[in-house]
Structure formats: C-alpha cells, structure tokens
Amino acid sequence: MLAAAICTFAACDPVHEEISNGGHISVDELKAKTSVTVDKDANGKNGNVITCSTSAPVNAKWDIGGKEFIGNHAWKKMKVNWDKDGNYIPTDYTIILTAICPDGTQLKAEFPMTCDVITNPLQKYYIYGDPAKTEEAPFKPGAWDAAAMRFSSTEGAHLPTISDDIYFGLKTLIFDVSDVTPDFDLKVMNGWWSNTYYDHVKWTSGLNELQITQTMADECAKGGEGRDLDLMLYSGSMTLNSVYYEE
C-alpha cells in the first residue's frame, strides 16, 4: 500500500525547483512553507472551513477530517458539534500533511485546528431518501439479499446508480438508519462479488459514514469498470432512511 501511495504521488506534476540536501527538505522547512488556516466569524471565532496550502517543492497529500486530498492546495468544510441545547461545542481536528520529496523522501507534518462555529453550513446532497421525493421511502433490506442495496437504477431494488462525480470525488457517504439490531453485520462489495471493500461492518441507529476509496471508484463507477457499489447484510436488520453526502 505504501508503494502504491508513492506511485500516486509520483503521478502528480513533477517538481522542477532545485532543493538542497540531495533533493529533500526537513520537516521544519516543510512546515515553514505550509499554511493551514480556518476562517473566522464576525466575532473572531474559528469557523468551519479549513484551507491548506504548501509552497514546498513536494508532492503533497492532505488528510482533512479523515478525507484525503492530493495536491499542494486543499480545503474542506468541517463538522462542528453542538450540545443538547443547540450550543456549539469546539471541535478539534488534526490536519496531516504527507509530502514526497523529489528524491523519494517521505515527510509528515501535523497541524491541530479547532472549529468553534459554523460559518459555511454543510449542504446535504441526497442519493436516496430526499424528503422532497415521497417515492424514496425508508425500507428494510433482507439478509443476504444482494440486490436490495445495490446502487443500480436497473438492478437495485431501491437505490439509484451513483454518479461518476460522486465516485471519483471520493465522497463520504452518510447512511441514516434506524431500528438496527444488535446482530447487524454488513458487507460492502461491488455488484459482481469480485471485490470486498469493507467487511463485517457494524452500524448503530443514527448516522453512519462510508468513505468511497479510489479502488471503489475505479471498479464501481460507470466511467470505470461499472460494477456498481453493493451493500449486503450478513445478519440482523435495519431501516434505511436515506443516503447522502455533505459538502
């Protein structure tokens, strides 16, 4: 996997700037050339949009809130938690920058950030269960029914085909589920049963996240191999209310 990651970095734009020390820089030099900031509200409190950039002559990969971005610039809207009374709770994140120097040296730098308030609300983009579409009603998939939760407008019993921009955007899918039983056990695969992406996944009633990976996009998107993302229950039951992603 490390080799694959290095190859992914190598596919980025080549670095032409001369670097001392045989083609690599130090972590301190990397940090000095890097900016990780959060926007502010009218009162000067940290908002929920984190912006990252580096002018260091490296190929960069950012981990922002558990989602990876490749490139020397990245930004992401973050979640901010709140208590039962609706008051915001400061939410801490650690932004991780992984950099590959021209000589192959790998560096890693961490930047702690805190988001206090929502300055740019996350928007929901529904794949299924849009409240405005009454035909997209909650349903209970049966155990070992591989068709029930296949994201295919032609082969799935309920779920539509996921668009390529969602796949190749590596979106984090959010599943709103209820009535989850203690013996719930889920397999995430493609519709051809040729690859398993996550196995023995345990969900609880509420919101559960599923990160689309590059492999999933390559194999499931219509612009890839077109095998369709497929979720199948081994055991237990639940009610699937909606599937969406936020940006």
Side-chain angles (χ1 to χ4, degrees), residues 21-92:
N21 301 323
H24 66 267
I25 60 176
S26 68
V27 172
D28 288 340
E29 289 173 311
L30 176 66
K31 288 183 175 180
K33 292 178 178 289
T34 298
S35 171
V36 178
T37 60
V38 63
D39 65 331
K40 304 285 185 179
D41 73 356
N43 298 315
K45 290 187 176 181
N46 285 356
N48 70 310
V49 180
I50 291 179
T51 302
C52 308
S53 63
T54 183
S55 61
V58 297
N59 287 322
K61 180 177 72 174
W62 306 88
D63 183 317
I64 310 176
K67 184 171 183 179
E68 293 183 347
F69 301 83
I70 292 178
N72 287 54
H73 177 85
W75 73 278
K76 187 177 185 298
K77 295 181 187 179
M78 311 301 291
K79 292 183 177 179
V80 179
N81 297 321
W82 59 87
D83 61 22
K84 60 182 177 62
D85 297 319
N87 301 309
Y88 290 122
I89 302 172
T91 305
D92 296 327

Side-chain angles (χ1 to χ4, degrees), residues 152-171:
S152 173
S153 300
T154 55
E155 297 184 49
H158 298 277
L159 303 176
T161 299
I162 295 176
S163 63
D164 280 10
D165 62 320
I166 294 176
Y167 276 125
F168 290 115
L170 305 183
K171 306 299 185 185

Side-chain angles (χ1 to χ4, degrees), residues 190 194-195 197 214-221 224-228:
N190 62 49
S194 58
N195 203 351
Y197 307 116
Q214 188 64 52
T215 299
M216 292 164 67
D218 292 340
E219 294 184 353
C220 298
E225 297 178 14
R227 300 184 180 190
D228 301 321

Side-chain angles (χ1 to χ4, degrees), residues 104-183:
T105 301
Q106 179 172 312
L107 306 173
K108 185 167 289 189
E110 296 186 354
F111 303 87
M113 301 295 295
T114 299
C115 297
D116 298 313
V117 297
I118 294 177
T119 48
N120 195 336
L122 287 163
Q123 296 185 40
K124 292 182 180 180
Y125 296 87
Y126 283 93
I127 298 171
Y128 181 85
D130 187 336
K133 298 179 179 179
T134 56
E135 69 275 15
E136 295 184 350
F139 69 96
K140 285 191 174 184
W144 292 95
D145 183 356
M149 293 184 66
R150 183 170 180 172
F151 285 89
S152 173
S153 300
T154 55
E155 297 184 49
H158 298 277
L159 303 176
T161 299
I162 295 176
S163 63
D164 280 10
D165 62 320
I166 294 176
Y167 276 125
F168 290 115
L170 305 183
K171 306 299 185 185
T172 298
L173 304 184
I174 301 173
F175 291 77
D176 181 352
V177 300
S178 55
D179 307 316
V180 179
T181 59
D183 57 343

